[in-house]
Amino acid sequence: MKRWYWQRCIVPLAGLLLLLAGCRQETPPPPAELPPPPKPDVILIEPVLPERPPRPELPPLFRDIERRTFQFFWDTTNEQNGLTPDRYPSRPFASVASIGFALTAYPIGIENGWVSRTQAVDRTLTTLRFLRDIPQGPQATGRGAYKGFYYHFLDMQNGHRYDSWVELSSVDTAILMMGVLFAQAYYEGDDPREQEIRKLADQLYRRVDWKWLQVRPPLISMGWFPESGFIQHDWMGYNEAMLLYILALGSPTHAVEPEAWTVWTRTYNNDWGVYYGQEYLSFGPLFGHQYSHVWIDFRDIQDQYMRERGIDYFLNSRRAALAQREYAIANPMKWKDYGENVWGLTAGDGPQNTRQIYRGEEREFRHYSSRGAGLRENFDDGTIAPTAAISSIVFAPEVVIPATEEMLRRYGDYLYSSYGFLDSFNPSFNYDIPLKTGRVVPGKGWVASDYIGIDQGPILAMIANYRNEFVWSVMKKSPYIRTGLERAGFRGGWLAPEDEDEGMEADRRAADARALGMAESRAAAAEAQRKEQQRREEPAAANRAQPPRQ
């Protein structure tokens, strides 16, 4: 959903003509290349990361962020049908991914006393009934779904496909289904209405025909248009589609074969490497390292790919967040205000599609776009999205907490409002030109005017996971998620066999693999530091070798 299958996935140029109709109203220009990352032999690498991040206490600010962000979903969702807007206040259409985050938000509201259980059950039932009854079919108009998949954007009132440029989206449907299955797992009561929630959730998940989108099996296509057919790009490389494949593997009715996961992970090869002192499986925008983790606890569970590298996807996301922070500190493009507590590139709003002179050279700026810093999928126009850092709270709280406080202190007067942080800001953009959205604050730069549901959702859920693992704990009850993970080859941790001896052995093997990975990381860091020290000493040694001047 953040993707550029719509502005959040980078696709080959040959596919752009096909995708033009499906992008959010404007197709962004080809991605600009960031400066190459420092080479490993000239990086001062920080000490090896701990196995688990520290757990500093959350300051009161985070409770306020949670409450305001929850209210975004509660207040802006259509009470008559449960459809949640893609963005607000512009509110042009509903986003099915936003609905998935909304269904996840309601139980968080219950647990915090912001709404009653009765209120949340009513809203959830309204949503699930409406999703069940939305007209389905291959027709280009008058339908909101087909083969169990939903169109990316729906009319806020009738739930029909919003416009001809909107695709039937595989990953946005997957995010919706994560919210649906979360509701199924949370509402466990004997009350007939909670029983109905569980039944409806099962019905919606079971009718998603994942195999239908395996146009080039075993991979899964990004989606389908009634006018032109299947999108000619599959989900490959490391990104948020991890949750899509897990759902497709866990389906009781239209499950794909385990080879889908095997082949998908083989497409990771170009994404593993060292970037700003971190060795990890990279995806430039941070949403790709966050979305699957909203619902699934990947700590200490590993598939074959991660077993071979001695880490897990959770630690991998930690490294991605820390690498982005180091990128901001280095600030190779010299954007204003970047630093240790102002960082975070992901997909989101920007000021305008334009080229302007910045520090004596022409720079590209964008409106809505994917932004990131990593081995690939890179673009940086100086636009920071608070969700990028805040939604990394579970991975790297020791750097996320001060970054959140700093962003509020420095920009809060115009960036923090009714529903928490607005989507994004750009201190470097001070150009007097027409804007696509947002406004320029004199002396402060550009700031967004909208909240975006798929950026709000991870903020709320990840803070809940940091506090008490709430979303993760509920989702562990879903047999479909467990089945999907196991069929993908995940073992260890909370998926360990029930037999105590086998479970202890699995944990031991996982610990050994982690230790090996850490040892290799330490060795690489030491070697990099040695080479850096050698590089620094060579000029001094050469000078000492010169005869004294007469």
Side-chain angles (χ1 to χ4, degrees), residues 260-280:
W261 187 269
T262 303
V263 173
W264 184 58
T265 56
R266 285 177 189 162
T267 68
Y268 287 178
N269 292 340
N270 293 328
D271 300 322
W272 181 273
V274 176
Y275 188 78
Y276 280 91
Q278 302 295 332
E279 184 176 6
Y280 65 108

Side-chain angles (χ1 to χ4, degrees), residues 338-359:
Y338 276 31
E340 64 179 359
N341 289 328
V342 179
W343 56 274
L345 302 178
T346 191
D349 274 349
Q352 180 59 285
N353 293 330
T354 183
R355 302 189 75 90
Q356 300 292 331
I357 301 300
Y358 178 80
R359 297 177 65 94

Side-chain angles (χ1 to χ4, degrees), residues 101-122:
F101 282 114
L103 290 169
T104 306
Y106 304 149
I108 295 175
I110 295 172
E111 296 297 315
N112 285 281
W114 300 328
V115 292
S116 70
R117 193 176 186 96
T118 297
Q119 288 174 302
V121 166
D122 286 345

